[in-house]
Amino acid sequence: MVLSLVAGLVLGAAGMGAAWAMNAGSDSPAGGGTPAADARAACDALDGFAPEKYTAKGPAGEVALNRYAAAGALSTAAAAGDPKYTELAQAIRRSQDRHAQVFDFDATVQKDLDRAREICRTL
């Protein structure tokens, strides 16, 4: 039951991230609707993500959950549009998959998040 709840939250958050990406204005530095814009938006979502707030109750927890899911959805969209973003999408997905297994931001999850943030710094 817990896994169903987590899956529902992640899928719902991914949908929110996708809607956010589709509604983003074209005033982003990379332009709207491009793989580069999706990658930048994923990095922006990841930049605002605080793992320590992921389990917080109320708005802080909701923000953290949705930013984490949006980073995954947007990086996947970027990689689908341009393979040069595949490593970013894989790093975020690995962190999300591991988190779904251990329900914690352990060293392995953190390592993948750090890698994703490192990739973001080079975009």
Side-chain angles (χ1 to χ4, degrees):
M1 183 158 157
V2 172
L3 288 177
S4 295
L5 175 62
V6 171
L9 288 172
V10 170
L11 289 174
M16 292 287 291
W20 174 41
M22 289 189 297
N23 289 324
S26 61
D27 58 345
S28 66
T34 66
D38 289 340
R40 186 72 253 150
C43 290
D44 288 345
L46 194 60
D47 187 46
F49 171 62
E52 65 276 6
K53 293 182 181 177
Y54 189 83
T55 57
K57 296 203 184 296
E62 290 177 36
V63 168
L65 179 120
N66 284 304
R67 285 184 187 270
Y68 193 37
L74 290 163
S75 65
T76 299
D82 188 333
K84 76 179 184 181
Y85 301 113
T86 299
E87 188 179 0
L88 173 63
Q90 288 174 340
I92 295 171
R93 177 59 54 203
R94 279 192 309 269
S95 76
Q96 291 174 330
D97 289 347
R98 172 71 177 170
H99 181 265
Q101 293 173 358
V102 299
F103 299 105
D104 191 21
F105 288 93
D106 67 3
T108 303
V109 175
Q110 193 58 52
K111 177 183 165 195
D112 288 323
L113 283 174
D114 291 345
R115 178 64 188 136
R117 287 181 168 130
E118 183 180 312
I119 294 166
C120 285
R121 282 190 294 274
T122 66
L123 295 181

